[in-house]
Amino acid sequence: MLQPKLTKVETISPLKLRLFYETGEVKLFDVAPYATGPWYGQLKDESYFNAVQLLPGGVGIEWPEGQDVAPHELYENSVPVKKTA
């Protein structure tokens, strides 16, 4: 199943993302289980974590040094917050 495209991402401390989808869905994703090891561990730094950006076309997210979470994981492993559409 293809997940809808992201329209916006917001960081919530500690290590959570609020994800906004083109469908009007808003979901909460916990990044903490991913923030391990030397590369993904950088996400524990709040200022670095807050530097997350949408990929072009809303197909995913990425941090400055290339850390990312697969789009299907973001969608399937997040908790719905509300649906506006």
Side-chain angles (χ1 to χ4, degrees):
M1 174 184 125
L2 289 176
Q3 65 282 340
K5 292 188 190 298
L6 286 159
T7 59
K8 184 177 172 183
V9 60
E10 293 176 346
T11 58
I12 301 171
S13 224
L15 294 173
K16 291 193 177 20
L17 297 173
R18 185 178 293 132
L19 305 167
F20 296 81
Y21 288 92
E22 64 186 352
T23 57
E25 292 172 278
V26 180
K27 296 182 133 197
L28 194 62
F29 183 81
D30 186 3
V31 181
Y34 296 81
T36 62
W39 197 51
Y40 277 98
Q42 288 180 318
L43 301 179
K44 291 178 184 176
D45 178 290
E46 187 175 357
S47 63
Y48 187 79
F49 183 73
N50 289 338
V52 67
Q53 293 190 3
L54 282 178
L55 291 173
V59 296
I61 58 162
E62 185 176 70
W63 282 271
E65 293 189 20
Q67 297 93 334
D68 64 359
V69 179
H72 70 277
E73 287 184 66
L74 288 174
Y75 190 76
E76 294 169 11
N77 298 331
S78 57
V79 177
V81 175
K82 66 176 182 173
K83 185 166 180 165
T84 58

